[in-house]
Structure formats: structure tokens, C-alpha cells
Amino acid sequence: MPDGAPDLKPRTLRDPASLIKAGLVPPEAGPALRRVSERFAMAITPAVQALIDRDDPADPIARQYVPDAAELVTLPDERSDPTSDAPFTPVKGVVHRYPDRALLKPLLACPVYCRFCFRREVVGPDGGLLSEAELDHALDWFAATPQVREAILTGGDPLMLSPRRLAHILSRLSAIPHIDVIRLHSRVPVAAPDRISRDLLAALSTDKAVFLCVHANHEREFSAAAKAALRALCQAGITLLGQSVLLRGVNDSSQALENLFRSMLASQVKPYYLHQLDRAPGTARFEVPIAEGLAILRALRGRISGLAWPTYVLDLPQGAGKAPLGPDFARSATDEWVIEGPLDGSSHHYPHVINDFG
Ligand SMILES: *Cc1c(COP(=O)(O)O)cnc(C)c1O
Ligand code: SF4
């Protein structure tokens, strides 16, 4: 395109040069960001570009997606596979850690690449797509593993698959008698809502229970297009859940979380998990200490609908599972529980037992 000609058709920005051209980073950031981009994928879709407030240097949308030189610094506690997927992989593309459910990762591409992603060392636009044979082998594993009642499609982002491939996966899973639930985790409804097409909705149609867990971290991600995509998914009979990561500078206040969870509910998305940040390389600028996360949530209890309340979890290293972190309102004393009233912080005494029956 000739210099100075306006680029009328927005595109997904995938490299530092295009970020500079779009005015999202200053030209002097180029050399450092080129080093970041050699290591971690970047992508900012037109839908996300439209949400960024370029006049706000601390914009909570830009912060999630625009790369930063700080990503070049890896702290000693940061791990490339913080949730230890690798040792729990019985066949390529499957992670089986809990008895009754397993992950299927058919691809590693995402619509956007979040700068705090816990799989940032493996996700990217090229690579990770299972071959037909590998995918069939992974689906055979589900068919041969009767204790697994739930297949969780993740990646990468499963809604980046073609409707044809997604339909193939859903029909194979639907044909397995012991699979009751098919769950998908996706950023697409907020980051690339135009992908939620009639064909994609048709691909998700099955008589199994389908849950879609939408990853969103800020109220502004619920654009008009995102809301329309979520409504279409809901009307297709899919139960919508929300998952968020507690992120410094994005949603690290009671007010920001309240707004986020209210936006979810208004789109019929039930907040499911609020994740403590996983310690992936170069993500320390997003960390909110657990004590602060607990205090932020404690201030929200009683203020927002119970429907809006997610479980705050930490995915433990070494594959030990996701542990709920609280906040706790009950503490055990000698012969009673002392329980804090969520509305006013008052203390309530609740005897351990009030009978002698045993
Ligand atoms: C997070 C995760 C799940 C899903 O856990 P839920 O608590 O059911 O949401 C399943 N398998 C693996 C390996 C996971 O990391
Ligand atoms: S969409 Fe999910 S998997 Fe993809 S980069 Fe963001 S956090 Fe990582």
C-alpha cells in the first residue's frame, strides 16, 4: 500500500511493524518488540482493535494484547508449562488429569494472543493443528476411556477450527455413549465474534449437553457484536459460562470485576472461574497477589448477585489440579465456627454441634 493511503479494511495485526503503523506502539518500541515476537505469537483482531482506547496509555484492552518489552524478562518462578500438561498427555492432543474429564486440544491457534497466556510457549498461528490421523487417534482415546464423561475442547481456541472440522469432532464425541458433556473454552465470541456463523452454530449442534466457557476479562469486551454472537450461541441451546484471569491493570479492583461479571450476566454468561495468574514466562507485570485477590472478592460478596459469583482458583503447578482460593467467611474456633456476615462484616457464632446424637 502506498505511504499515506488510508487502510480502510482493518486486518488482524500480527507483527510489531503493523502495530507501529496502527499507532498502538511508538516506533522506538520496534526493536524490543521484534525480539518479543520471535518468542511469542501476537495477533490483534479488528474487533479488538476497535475496542482499544488509543488516548488511554493504561487502556485495559490494549494491555491484554499489545506486546511489551517486559515479556523478555523471565523470573525464576515462571515456567514454560505452568500447569504441567505435558506429563498428563496419554495421546497427542489429549490432557487427562481428572478422572471424569479430559482436554482435547485440536489446534494451538487463537484469534488473539493474550500477553499473560499460560500456554504462551506453545500457542501460535502455525503448528499444533492435529492431523486427521492424530485427531482420530485422540477421539479413539475418548471412546476407549469410559471413566471420562466430559470432553473439554481447548487449545488454542477450538472455535478457530473450520465448521467442517468442528462438526466432525462433535459428531464423533456425540457418538460415544459415556460422554455426557462437551465443553468448549473460547475467546472467539469476544475477540472475533464474526466467526460465530450459521455454519459454526450448526457444527455445535448435538444432543449432548454443550457448555461454552467464554474467556473475557473486561466489561468493554462485551461489544454489540460480541453480545450478538453470545445471543446466537445461547439460542442454539448452548449454556454459556465465563472465565476470567485476575490481571493487574485490567480488572484488579472490586468495581472492575463487578462491571465484568454484570456484563457477563447481561449476556446470559454465568461467571465460572476467576483464575489466579499462572506464572508463565514474561507475565509478571500482570500478577495480582493472592491476598489482594481475596480482598477484592471479599468486598464484592453481598454486593453482586450470587449468579455473578465465580470460584477464584489457582491451577497448581505439577498438575495437582485447580484449587479454590476463597475468600473464606468461616473460621473454626474451639467449639464453634465464627462466621463473618458478608453484608456488614459482623461476627456470628455457630456451635459445631447442638446435639448429642453422635
Ligand atoms: C482445568 C482443567 C480441566 C477442567 O477443570 P474444571 O474444574 O472441571 O473446570 C480439566 N482437565 C484439565 C487438565 C484442566 O487443566
Ligand atoms: S485465547 Fe486463551 S489460549 Fe489463546 S492466547 Fe489467550 S489465554 Fe492463551
Side-chain angles (χ1 to χ4, degrees):
M1 189 176 37
D3 245 16
D7 186 355
L8 295 175
K9 192 165 165 293
R11 280 185 270 253
T12 296
L13 307 173
R14 296 190 178 275
D15 53 63
S18 61
L19 294 182
I20 291 168
K21 204 160 152 200
L24 289 172
V25 293
E28 57 274 20
L33 295 191
R34 272 193 290 282
R35 277 187 289 138
V36 173
S37 70
E38 281 161 16
R39 179 143 182 221
F40 304 116
M42 60 181 71
I44 306 182
T45 56
V48 169
Q49 290 165 50
L51 300 178
I52 294 175
D53 176 359
R54 284 147 201 269
D55 295 330
D56 179 1
D59 180 62
I61 307 296
R63 190 167 163 81
Q64 296 181 62
Y65 306 108
V66 174
D68 191 289
E71 293 173 44
L72 295 167
V73 180
T74 299
L75 300 181
D77 265 338
E78 294 178 338
R79 287 157 220 278
S80 60
D81 182 15
T83 61
S84 298
D85 283 356
F88 296 87
T89 298
V91 296
K92 190 169 177 192
V94 174
V95 184
H96 186 210
R97 183 179 299 143
Y98 299 100
D100 72 332
R101 54 209 191 276
L103 309 183
L104 172 60
K105 300 195 281 190
L107 82 175
L108 291 170
C110 297
V112 281
Y113 293 99
C114 313
R115 308 324 297 168
F116 49 84
C117 174
F118 69 113
R119 294 210 181 102
R120 60 192 328 228
E121 298 272 28
V122 293
V123 294
D126 28 56
L129 182 67
L130 297 185
S131 68
E132 299 273 344
E134 287 166 339
L135 180 59
D136 282 330
H137 197 45
L139 291 164
D140 291 343
W141 179 89
F142 277 89
T145 313
Q147 75 267 35
V148 168
R149 312 293 299 271
E150 178 177 354
I152 304 171
L153 273 63
T154 175
D157 193 315
L159 297 188
M160 293 301 279
L161 292 167
S162 69
R164 187 191 62 78
R165 209 158 226 250
L166 198 57
H168 171 69
I169 294 174
L170 264 88
S171 78
R172 283 274 330 257
L173 289 172
S174 300
I176 301 174
H178 56 264
I179 296 285
D180 300 326
V181 173
I182 300 171
R183 191 202 312 183
L184 300 97
H185 282 255
S186 180
R187 206 44 159 146
V188 161
V190 295
D194 46 310
R195 288 190 68 86
I196 309 296
S197 62
R198 209 180 286 262
D199 287 349
L200 190 122
L201 292 168
L204 293 173
S205 162
T206 160
D207 48 16
K208 301 286 179 169
V210 181
F211 290 75
L212 179 77
C213 192
V214 186
H215 173 186
N217 304 311
H218 194 272
E219 59 170 319
R220 273 184 19 233
E221 291 177 288
F222 292 81
S223 63
K227 286 193 250 187
L230 292 166
R231 194 174 316 117
L233 288 159
C234 202
Q235 281 167 354
I238 297 167
T239 300
L240 302 177
L241 304 171
Q243 68 171 344
S244 310
V245 185
L246 182 61
L247 297 169
R248 179 67 81 211
V250 176
N251 57 21
D252 54 337
S253 68
S254 299
Q255 190 63 58
L257 287 182
E258 174 175 344
N259 297 350
L260 169 63
F261 300 147
R262 287 195 191 285
S263 301
M264 285 186 176
L265 281 193
S267 283
Q268 213 153 320
V269 174
K270 159 80 186 98
Y272 174 55
Y273 277 157
L274 175 66
H275 292 272
Q276 177 65 14
L277 182 76
D278 290 311
R279 289 179 168 156
T283 61
R285 73 187 193 281
F286 292 106
E287 184 154 83
V288 179
I290 290 175
E292 192 179 333
L294 290 171
I296 289 171
L297 281 179
R298 182 173 287 272
L300 264 189
R301 188 81 222 187
R303 197 163 107 191
I304 54 169
S305 164
L307 288 178
W309 191 255
T311 305
Y312 179 33
V313 290
L314 171 64
D315 207 345
L316 291 163
Q318 281 113 45
K322 290 182 188 67
L325 295 174
D328 264 340
F329 285 76
R331 116 188 120 68
S332 181
T334 314
D335 0 275
E336 61 177 12
W337 288 94
V338 182
I339 302 174
E340 182 186 325
L343 288 176
D344 59 2
S346 53
S347 281
H348 300 265
H349 299 269
Y350 192 87
H352 280 166
V353 285
I354 54 167
N355 63 50
D356 289 327
F357 300 154

